[in-house]
Coordinates of all heavy atoms in Angstrom, one line a residue:
A54 N -20.5 -5.7 8.8 CA -20.6 -7.1 9.3 C -21.2 -7.9 8.1 O -21.9 -7.3 7.3 CB -21.5 -7.2 10.5
F55 N -20.7 -9.0 7.9 CA -21.2 -10.0 6.8 C -20.7 -9.6 5.4 O -21.1 -10.2 4.5 CB -22.7 -10.2 6.9 CG -23.2 -10.9 8.1 CD1 -23.8 -10.1 9.1 CD2 -22.8 -12.4 8.3 CE1 -24.2 -10.8 10.2 CE2 -23.3 -12.9 9.5 CZ -23.8 -12.2 10.5
T56 N -20.0 -8.6 5.3 CA -19.5 -8.1 4.0 C -18.3 -9.2 3.7 O -17.7 -9.7 4.6 CB -19.0 -6.6 3.8 OG1 -17.9 -6.5 4.9 CG2 -20.1 -5.7 4.2
P57 N -18.2 -9.4 2.4 CA -17.3 -10.6 2.0 C -15.8 -10.4 2.6 O -15.3 -11.3 3.1 CB -17.2 -10.4 0.5 CG -18.7 -9.9 0.1 CD -18.9 -8.9 1.2
T58 N -15.2 -9.3 2.3 CA -13.8 -9.1 2.7 C -13.6 -9.2 4.3 O -12.8 -9.9 4.8 CB -13.1 -7.8 2.2 OG1 -13.4 -7.8 0.8 CG2 -11.6 -7.8 2.6
C59 N -14.5 -8.5 5.0 CA -14.5 -8.6 6.4 C -14.7 -9.9 7.0 O -14.0 -10.4 7.9 CB -15.6 -7.6 7.0 SG -15.4 -5.8 6.5
T60 N -15.6 -10.5 6.5 CA -16.2 -11.9 7.0 C -15.2 -13.0 6.6 O -15.0 -13.9 7.4 CB -17.5 -12.2 6.5 OG1 -18.4 -11.2 6.9 CG2 -18.0 -13.5 7.1
D61 N -14.7 -12.9 5.4 CA -13.9 -14.1 4.8 C -12.5 -13.9 5.1 O -11.6 -14.9 4.8 CB -14.3 -14.3 3.3 CG -15.8 -14.7 3.2 OD1 -16.5 -15.2 4.1 OD2 -16.3 -14.4 2.1
K62 N -12.0 -12.6 5.1 CA -10.4 -12.5 5.1 C -10.0 -11.7 6.2 O -8.9 -12.1 6.8 CB -10.3 -11.6 3.8 CG -10.5 -12.5 2.5 CD -10.1 -11.7 1.2 CE -10.5 -12.5 0.0 NZ -10.2 -11.7 -1.2
H63 N -10.7 -10.8 6.8 CA -10.2 -9.8 7.9 C -10.4 -10.5 9.2 O -9.3 -10.8 9.9 CB -10.6 -8.5 7.8 CG -10.0 -7.4 8.5 ND1 -10.6 -6.4 9.0 CD2 -8.6 -7.3 9.0 CE1 -9.6 -5.6 9.8 NE2 -8.5 -6.1 9.7
L64 N -11.5 -10.7 9.5 CA -11.8 -11.3 10.9 C -11.3 -12.7 11.1 O -10.8 -13.0 12.2 CB -13.3 -11.2 11.2 CG -13.8 -10.1 11.9 CD1 -13.4 -9.9 13.3 CD2 -13.7 -8.7 11.2
P65 N -11.2 -13.6 10.1 CA -10.6 -14.9 10.5 C -9.2 -15.0 11.0 O -8.8 -15.7 11.8 CB -10.9 -15.6 9.1 CG -12.0 -14.9 8.5 CD -11.8 -13.5 8.8
G66 N -8.5 -13.9 10.5 CA -7.1 -13.8 11.0 C -7.0 -13.5 12.6 O -6.3 -14.0 13.2
F67 N -8.0 -12.6 12.9 CA -8.0 -12.3 14.5 C -8.5 -13.5 15.3 O -8.2 -13.7 16.4 CB -8.8 -11.0 14.6 CG -8.2 -9.8 14.3 CD1 -8.2 -9.2 12.9 CD2 -7.3 -9.2 15.1 CE1 -7.5 -8.2 12.6 CE2 -6.4 -8.1 14.8 CZ -6.8 -7.6 13.4
V68 N -9.5 -14.2 14.7 CA -10.1 -15.5 15.4 C -8.8 -16.5 15.5 O -8.7 -17.0 16.5 CB -11.2 -16.1 14.6 CG1 -11.6 -17.3 15.2 CG2 -12.4 -15.3 14.7
K69 N -8.1 -16.6 14.4 CA -6.9 -17.6 14.3 C -5.9 -17.1 15.3 O -5.3 -18.0 16.1 CB -6.6 -17.8 13.0 CG -5.2 -18.8 12.9 CD -4.9 -18.8 11.4 CE -3.6 -19.8 11.3 NZ -3.2 -19.7 9.9
Q70 N -5.7 -15.9 15.4 CA -4.5 -15.4 16.2 C -5.0 -15.0 17.7 O -4.1 -14.4 18.5 CB -3.9 -14.3 15.6 CG -3.3 -14.6 14.3 CD -2.0 -15.4 14.5 OE1 -1.3 -15.5 15.4 NE2 -1.6 -16.2 13.3
E71 N -6.3 -15.1 18.1 CA -6.9 -14.6 19.2 C -6.0 -14.9 20.5 O -5.6 -14.0 21.4 CB -8.2 -15.2 19.5 CG -8.9 -14.6 20.7 CD -10.4 -15.0 20.8 OE1 -10.7 -16.1 20.2 OE2 -11.2 -14.4 21.6
Q72 N -5.6 -16.2 20.6 CA -4.8 -16.6 21.8 C -3.5 -16.0 21.9 O -3.0 -15.7 22.9 CB -4.8 -18.1 22.0 CG -6.1 -18.7 22.1 CD -6.8 -18.2 23.3 OE1 -6.2 -18.1 24.4 NE2 -8.2 -17.9 23.1
N73 N -2.8 -15.8 20.7 CA -1.5 -15.2 20.6 C -1.7 -13.6 21.1 O -0.7 -13.1 21.7 CB -1.1 -15.0 19.2 CG -0.5 -16.4 18.9 OD1 0.0 -17.3 19.7 ND2 -0.6 -16.8 17.6
F74 N -2.7 -13.0 20.8 CA -3.0 -11.5 21.3 C -3.0 -11.6 22.9 O -2.5 -10.8 23.6 CB -4.2 -10.9 20.7 CG -4.0 -10.5 19.4 CD1 -4.6 -11.3 18.2 CD2 -3.4 -9.3 19.2 CE1 -4.3 -10.8 16.9 CE2 -3.2 -8.8 17.9 CZ -3.7 -9.5 16.8
Y75 N -3.9 -12.6 23.4 CA -4.1 -12.6 24.8 C -2.7 -13.0 25.6 O -2.4 -12.5 26.6 CB -5.2 -13.6 25.3 CG -6.5 -13.4 24.7 CD1 -7.4 -14.3 24.2 CD2 -6.8 -12.0 24.6 CE1 -8.6 -13.9 23.7 CE2 -8.1 -11.7 24.1 CZ -9.0 -12.6 23.7 OH -10.2 -12.4 23.2
K76 N -1.9 -14.0 24.9 CA -0.6 -14.3 25.5 C 0.3 -13.0 25.6 O 1.2 -12.9 26.4 CB 0.1 -15.3 24.8 CG -0.6 -16.7 24.9 CD 0.0 -17.8 24.0 CE -0.7 -19.1 24.1 NZ -0.2 -20.0 23.1
R77 N 0.1 -11.9 24.7 CA 1.0 -10.8 24.7 C 0.3 -9.6 25.4 O 0.7 -8.5 25.3 CB 1.2 -10.4 23.3 CG 2.0 -11.4 22.5 CD 2.4 -11.0 21.1 NE 3.0 -12.0 20.5 CZ 3.6 -11.8 19.3 NH1 3.6 -10.7 18.7 NH2 4.3 -12.8 18.6
G78 N -0.6 -10.0 26.4 CA -1.2 -9.0 27.3 C -2.4 -8.2 26.9 O -2.9 -7.4 27.6
V79 N -2.9 -8.7 25.8 CA -4.2 -7.9 25.3 C -5.4 -8.6 26.2 O -5.4 -9.7 26.4 CB -4.5 -8.4 23.9 CG1 -5.9 -7.7 23.4 CG2 -3.4 -7.5 23.0
D80 N -6.2 -7.7 26.8 CA -7.3 -8.0 27.5 C -8.6 -8.4 26.7 O -9.3 -9.1 27.2 CB -7.6 -6.7 28.6 CG -6.5 -6.5 29.5 OD1 -6.0 -7.4 30.1 OD2 -6.1 -5.3 29.5
E81 N -8.7 -7.6 25.6 CA -9.9 -7.9 24.9 C -9.7 -7.5 23.4 O -9.0 -6.5 23.2 CB -11.1 -7.1 25.6 CG -12.5 -7.2 24.9 CD -13.5 -6.5 25.6 OE1 -13.3 -5.7 26.4 OE2 -14.8 -6.8 25.4
I82 N -10.4 -8.1 22.5 CA -10.4 -7.7 21.0 C -11.7 -7.3 20.8 O -12.8 -7.9 21.0 CB -10.0 -8.9 20.2 CG1 -8.5 -9.4 20.5 CG2 -10.1 -8.4 18.6 CD1 -8.3 -10.7 19.9
I83 N -11.8 -6.0 20.3 CA -13.3 -5.4 20.0 C -13.3 -5.1 18.5 O -12.5 -4.4 18.1 CB -13.3 -4.1 20.9 CG1 -13.1 -4.4 22.3 CG2 -14.7 -3.5 20.7 CD1 -12.9 -3.1 23.2

Side-chain angles (χ1 to χ4, degrees):
F55 297 109
T56 56
T58 303
C59 300
T60 304
D61 299 333
K62 296 180 181 174
H63 196 206
L64 265 290
F67 286 93
V68 170
K69 181 179 178 184
Q70 298 292 338
E71 183 179 22
Q72 294 307 314
N73 288 327
F74 282 103
Y75 298 144
K76 287 177 186 174
R77 294 185 185 192
V79 170
D80 299 308
E81 186 175 11
I82 300 171
I83 305 165

